[in-house]
């Protein structure tokens, strides 16, 4: 990492800086970065605990604090972390069992499936199910099998809880997953047919399947992403959410300490037009978590685009922003839209702008047309958009 570029973290509260220091890995020696004693004495431990829970790093942090008791963390903080750690351990065991059962059910119906995160990620990156949090299961299947998957999940007493509005099959590329919930098991499953929302380049399911790995944490085979595919997926997922939870960055730190084929990774990032997103992830991990980078990966962090994107993510990290809780504050929403656009390559920006010409479900609400005439939404779209905008501006406040 060049010494002439440093992320501006001057607005980070002291509690967040201490959290990052505690998360900084020196795994071979079991040490953490030295924390100034006066910082510890002045720390708002309630805020520190809130940050730890928000960033979903409490399982890993609790284990680290257990090994470094000389830090002097208050008892109430350790007790809260211990409680959350235990709850998460049971949750991960539950998800692991359900993941195995679903994989077996899919295989019995000759449906290929790839688990994207969850227990397989905890085992692969942390070596322990209890050291990473997951609230649901993310499973990718071929798009052609979606109908069969939905039928199978319904037979297993899962209920689809997401019904995205769609027109002219735009769901196939504008969306990337649908959500199912099992009330008795209290388990949420997101079924993916893409790694992320479109329009954007990404490998096909067949390509991902060819590079898959098999998890050893269950007695029955569970398939998950190859190492380089997993890096690309986690980097784009974290970027799309502004790295607003440090858990995603810790994942990158763990992955970069494993053996990654940098030549294959570089080719995949380049092919899918996400070099700048890879650079953002590497820059954030190297500077915030002191993740060691190989010389080849370090080259990616020297570009201005990746550095600007990394600095842009500081906006999310320095605040406890939750992009999934409505309503998202207006200033955050506007910033996020700009940041998502900045993440795109030039070609993806062109695709994104062109996608506005494709009809939206709102067009159907504005001017309902029978299915056989819905092709008319293409020429009508600019007028329908202008009509909605005019109506919104003239609406009484």
């Amino acid at each position: 990492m060049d010494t002439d570029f440093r992320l501006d973290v001057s607005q980070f509260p002291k509690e967040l800086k201490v959290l990052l220091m505690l998360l900084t890995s020196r795994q071979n020696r079991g040490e953490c970065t030295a924390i100034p004693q006066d910082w510890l004495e002045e720390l708002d431990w309630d805020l520190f605990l809130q940050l730890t829970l928000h960033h979903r790093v409490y399982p890993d942090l609790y284990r680290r604090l257990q090994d470094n008791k000389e830090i002097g963390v208050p008892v109430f903080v350790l007790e809260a972390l211990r409680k959350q750690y235990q709850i998460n351990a049971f949750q991960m065991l539950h998800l692991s069992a359900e993941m195995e059962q679903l994989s077996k059910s899919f295989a019995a119906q000759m449906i290929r499936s790839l688990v994207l995160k969850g227990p397989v990620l905890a085992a692969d990156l942390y070596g322990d199910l209890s050291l990473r949090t997951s609230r649901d299961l993310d499973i990718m299947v071929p798009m052609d099998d979606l109908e069969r998957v939905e039928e199978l999940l319904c037979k297993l007493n899962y209920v689809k809880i997401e019904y995205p509005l769609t027109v002219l099959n735009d769901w196939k590329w504008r969306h990337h997953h649908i959500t199912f919930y099992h009330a008795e098991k209290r388990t949420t499953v997101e079924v993916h047919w893409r790694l992320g929302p479109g329009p954007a380049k990404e490998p096909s399911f067949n390509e991902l399947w060819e590079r898959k790995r098999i998890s050893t944490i269950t007695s029955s085979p569970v398939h998950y992403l190859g190492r380089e595919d997993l890096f690309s997926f986690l980097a784009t997922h974290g970027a799309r959410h502004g790295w607003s939870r440090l858990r995603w960055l810790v994942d990158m730190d763990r992955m970069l300490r494993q053996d990654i084929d940098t030549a294959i990774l570089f080719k995949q990032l380049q092919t899918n037009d996400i070099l700048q997103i890879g650079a953002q992830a590497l820059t954030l991990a190297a500077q915030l978590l002191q993740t060691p980078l190989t010389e080849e990966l370090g080259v990616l962090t020297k570009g201005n685009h990746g550095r600007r994107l990394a600095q842009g993510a500081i906006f999310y990290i320095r605040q406890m922003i939750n992009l999934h809780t409505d309503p998202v504050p207006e200033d955050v929403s506007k910033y996020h839209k700009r940041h998502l656009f900045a993440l795109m390559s030039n070609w993806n920006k062109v695709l994104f702008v062109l996608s506005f010409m494709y009809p939206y479900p709102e067009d159907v609400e504005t001017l309902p047309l029978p299915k056989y005439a819905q092709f008319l939404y293409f020429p009508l779209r600019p007028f329908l958009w202008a009509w909605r905008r005019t109506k919104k501006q003239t609406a009484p406040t």
Side-chain angles (χ1 to χ4, degrees):
M1 196 75 194
D2 286 354
T3 56
D4 60 343
F5 172 76
R6 300 300 302 173
L7 291 170
D8 181 4
V9 296
S10 58
Q11 295 188 54
F12 277 10
K14 191 176 297 181
E15 291 73 16
L16 180 55
K17 291 180 179 179
V18 169
L19 178 59
L20 285 167
M21 289 178 181
L22 290 172
L23 290 174
T24 298
S25 296
R26 290 184 182 171
Q27 297 170 348
N28 293 334
R29 291 179 291 174
E31 299 175 0
C32 288
T33 302
I35 303 172
Q37 186 60 36
D38 58 329
W39 282 26
L40 293 173
E41 293 172 356
E42 299 170 1
L43 215 63
D44 182 339
W45 288 104
D46 288 309
L47 175 57
F48 174 84
L49 183 57
Q50 290 178 41
L51 286 165
T52 303
L53 298 178
H54 167 78
H55 287 290
R56 304 290 195 268
V57 293
Y58 50 86
D60 189 27
L61 182 66
Y62 175 70
R63 182 70 65 86
R64 290 170 190 255
L65 291 176
Q66 286 291 94
D67 296 335
N68 294 274
K69 294 183 179 179
E70 70 280 1
I71 293 174
V73 178
V75 174
F76 83 92
V77 175
L78 286 173
E79 182 60 24
L81 293 177
R82 182 190 64 80
K83 182 178 179 180
Q84 293 301 320
Y85 172 87
Q86 291 178 339
I87 292 173
N88 180 66
F90 285 114
Q91 166 74 354
M92 293 301 286
L93 287 171
H94 167 70
L95 285 178
S96 182
E98 188 64 11
M99 175 187 70
E100 181 178 16
Q101 288 303 312
L102 288 175
S103 294
K104 287 172 65 176
S105 298
F106 290 161
Q109 297 297 317
M110 304 299 288
I111 297 172
R112 295 175 296 166
S113 64
L114 290 167
V115 177
L116 299 178
K117 296 185 290 180
V120 293
L121 191 59
D124 184 37
L125 300 186
Y126 298 79
D128 188 329
L129 289 181
S130 66
L131 293 184
R132 188 187 188 276
T133 65
S134 289
R135 67 178 181 85
D136 54 24
L137 293 172
D138 295 78
I139 302 176
M140 188 176 186
V141 299
M143 180 181 285
D144 292 343
D145 288 331
L146 277 176
E147 189 173 336
R148 294 171 60 211
V149 168
E150 183 171 348
E151 291 174 359
L152 177 58
L153 288 175
C154 287
K155 290 179 180 177
L156 296 173
N157 295 322
Y158 277 88
V159 177
K160 185 163 71 170
I161 60 175
E162 234 176 19
Y163 290 86
L165 297 174
T166 181
V167 58
L168 296 171
N169 288 324
D170 68 336
W171 63 272
K172 292 182 178 181
W173 56 272
R174 279 198 169 122
H175 300 277
H176 62 293
H177 68 74
I178 48 177
T179 306
F180 296 83
Y181 182 70
H182 196 297
E184 186 178 339
K185 296 181 178 180
R186 297 183 180 180
T187 303
T188 301
V189 176
E190 290 187 355
V191 176
H192 293 242
W193 58 92
R194 290 176 54 92
L195 293 176
K201 291 182 182 179
E202 65 171 51
S204 68
F205 183 90
N206 287 338
E207 291 175 296
L208 297 172
W209 183 259
E210 289 174 2
R211 301 190 288 257
K212 70 183 181 302
R213 290 179 286 170
I214 300 177
S215 175
T216 59
I217 64 173
T218 55
S219 56
S220 300
V222 173
H223 302 103
Y224 69 116
L225 295 174
R227 198 172 304 283
E228 292 73 31
D229 287 319
L230 183 59
F231 179 96
S232 298
F233 169 66
L234 293 179
T236 52
H237 179 271
R240 194 166 64 248
H241 293 82
W243 299 101
S244 53
R245 297 201 194 278
L246 287 174
R247 175 188 63 185
W248 300 320
L249 205 55
V250 175
D251 288 344
M252 302 307 295
D253 174 76
R254 292 277 181 161
M255 172 160 283
L256 290 164
R257 294 173 188 275
Q258 297 180 343
D259 292 329
I260 291 184
D261 189 317
T262 53
I264 292 177
L265 176 61
F266 187 88
K267 184 178 179 180
Q268 288 186 8
L269 295 175
Q270 196 169 39
T271 299
N272 296 310
D273 278 344
I274 54 172
L275 274 172
Q276 71 285 354
I277 291 178
Q280 181 199 45
L282 293 170
T283 302
L284 288 168
Q287 294 213 13
L288 297 184
L289 297 176
Q290 298 182 24
T291 305
L293 301 182
T294 63
E295 185 177 349
E296 295 85 353
L297 291 177
V299 170
L300 276 179
T301 67
K302 295 179 180 179
N304 289 330
H305 193 182
R307 290 176 172 183
R308 286 196 301 269
L309 292 176
Q311 186 60 56
I314 297 301
F315 170 85
Y316 303 90
I317 298 173
R318 68 179 170 83
Q319 306 175 77
M320 283 187 279
I321 291 176
N322 189 344
L323 296 170
H324 295 294
T325 301
D326 291 327
V328 176
E330 187 175 353
D331 63 321
V332 174
S333 180
K334 288 181 178 179
Y335 183 93
H336 191 54
K337 288 179 181 178
R338 292 194 301 269
H339 189 66
L340 287 177
F341 190 72
L343 287 169
M344 300 177 191
S345 67
N346 290 334
W347 175 241
N348 280 340
K349 286 177 180 176
V350 171
L351 290 176
F352 179 73
V353 172
L354 289 175
S355 73
F356 283 107
M357 300 308 296
Y358 198 97
Y360 276 77
E362 291 91 335
D363 298 323
V364 179
E365 295 176 3
T366 305
L367 180 65
L369 291 174
K371 278 195 173 182
Y372 68 82
Q374 288 188 348
F375 70 92
L376 293 173
Y377 285 127
F378 283 98
L380 288 172
R381 169 142 176 75
F383 303 100
L384 296 174
W385 175 84
W387 169 255
R388 286 196 300 272
R389 190 167 182 83
T390 301
K391 194 174 181 181
K392 184 179 180 180
Q393 290 176 344
T394 56
T397 58

